[in-house]
Amino acid sequence: MSAMISFEQVCITLGSVSVLRDMNLQVESGETVVLLGRSGSGKTTALKLVNRLLLPSAGQVVVEGTPTTEWDPIRLRRRAGYVMQEGGLFPHLTVAQNIGLVPRLLGWAPADIRRRVDALLVQVELPPERFSERYPKQLSGGQRQRVGIARALAADPPMLLFDEPFGALDPVTRFELQRQFLRLCRVTGKTSLFVTHDVREALRLGTRIALLANGRLDLVAAPSEFLRASSPEVHTFLASLDMTGEGGHHDVV
């Protein structure tokens, strides 16, 4: 494997606030790294550095061997499918138009866009004959997230960026979409950076977990190693599993 994304001594200050400090992290091709942390820990800021929505105050973020400061922003963002809460869909576009937006901007032929849209809808378990012509307001929250994932995959980018995509969903729908996410990772082999504050989700989805605390990387570990880590911040997150009354945390991986 080779690194798709590298954070190299990255610091970022927004206003007078130091949001990230001395962050070093490599995301290898084909893996899913989960950025886990409390609110305000810097995880979404780190995600936005990858597609140049933000630039580091010091250090550099390197994507596919090139610092983000040297990338054309539009080209970089088209190399990184982005999924957020509620899918971030355009309400005035149909499902098919939302999914086909980037391929259309890239100049794909209409017939190729239609084939790609239909194939992706099947992949995310939304039959195209039922969902292609619907508008976002006609979808449930889980369906909007599925469309958001399909849109992120539409132009076959090498990277996927997920900003707490399942955070607003009910537990059953969230579990179903996590299952689907894992299946898509196996099928597509995409490199993914996934932000969450839910340790159960992190343990279930991540190849590795990068735990952020107060703007610094506290730990980077595989899920099995995370469960055995001695960090106080890790213990705090794992204790939250027991607080839910779900009988411990060893069933999450």
Side-chain angles (χ1 to χ4, degrees):
M1 293 191 297
S2 58
M4 178 72 73
I5 304 164
S6 295
F7 294 82
E8 301 175 359
Q9 291 294 117
V10 170
C11 302
I12 183 166
T13 300
L14 299 177
S16 60
V17 178
S18 179
V19 182
L20 287 175
R21 288 167 285 174
D22 300 320
M23 182 172 174
N24 290 288
L25 176 68
Q26 288 198 330
V27 182
E28 306 296 336
S29 180
E31 75 169 334
T32 297
V33 170
V34 173
L35 295 174
L36 175 67
R38 308 185 197 203
S39 297
S41 62
K43 53 191 187 295
T44 294
T45 297
L47 194 75
K48 290 180 177 180
L49 287 166
V50 176
N51 64 354
R52 205 177 152 170
L53 289 174
L54 293 171
L55 291 173
S57 305
Q60 63 179 6
V61 180
V62 180
V63 175
E64 296 185 284
T66 300
T68 56
T69 51
E70 298 178 16
W71 274 89
D72 172 75
I74 294 175
R75 182 167 176 264
L76 176 59
R77 288 164 197 160
R78 289 177 181 172
R79 305 269 310 157
Y82 198 96
V83 184
M84 62 191 78
Q85 283 192 24
E86 292 294 315
L89 304 179
F90 292 104
H92 62 289
L93 299 181
T94 66
V95 165
Q97 289 168 338
N98 266 286
I99 296 172
L101 181 61
V102 173
R104 182 174 64 80
L105 292 173
L106 292 173
W108 289 27
D112 292 336
I113 295 173
R114 169 54 66 182
R115 279 192 292 270
R116 181 64 173 164
V117 168
D118 287 353
L120 286 168
L121 283 171
V122 170
Q123 199 167 27
V124 298
E125 301 175 2
L126 295 175
E129 64 275 11
R130 289 179 51 202
F131 289 94
S132 288
E133 300 309 312
R134 292 190 188 183
Y135 286 88
K137 67 181 180 181
Q138 298 171 305
L139 306 175
S140 69
Q143 289 167 347
R144 285 193 292 271
Q145 282 308 95
R146 292 170 193 258
V147 174
I149 292 170
R151 185 177 65 178
L153 289 165
D156 199 24
M159 298 172 290
L160 297 174
L161 306 177
F162 294 85
D163 191 1
E164 301 198 58
F166 309 145
L169 302 175
D170 66 83
V172 173
T173 303
R174 186 170 188 157
F175 183 83
E176 290 173 348
L177 285 176
Q178 289 170 351
R179 172 188 58 80
Q180 188 173 78
F181 174 84
L182 289 169
R183 182 179 62 80
L184 287 170
C185 286
R186 287 193 295 269
V187 171
T188 65
K190 299 294 183 186
T191 304
S192 298
L193 199 58
F194 191 108
V195 165
T196 187
H197 59 263
D198 182 341
V199 65
R200 182 176 293 274
E201 185 165 72
L203 289 164
R204 187 169 191 225
L205 301 185
T207 306
R208 289 184 297 145
I209 299 169
L211 178 62
L212 283 160
N214 299 315
R216 294 186 183 274
L217 268 181
D218 184 78
L219 177 77
V220 181
S224 59
E225 298 166 342
F226 187 93
L227 290 168
R228 299 192 298 269
S230 60
S231 159
E233 189 72 1
V234 170
H235 288 176
T236 299
F237 270 94
L238 295 180
S240 72
L241 294 176
D242 292 327
M243 288 170 62
T244 66
E246 295 177 346
H249 56 256
H250 292 287
D251 61 335
V252 294
V253 292

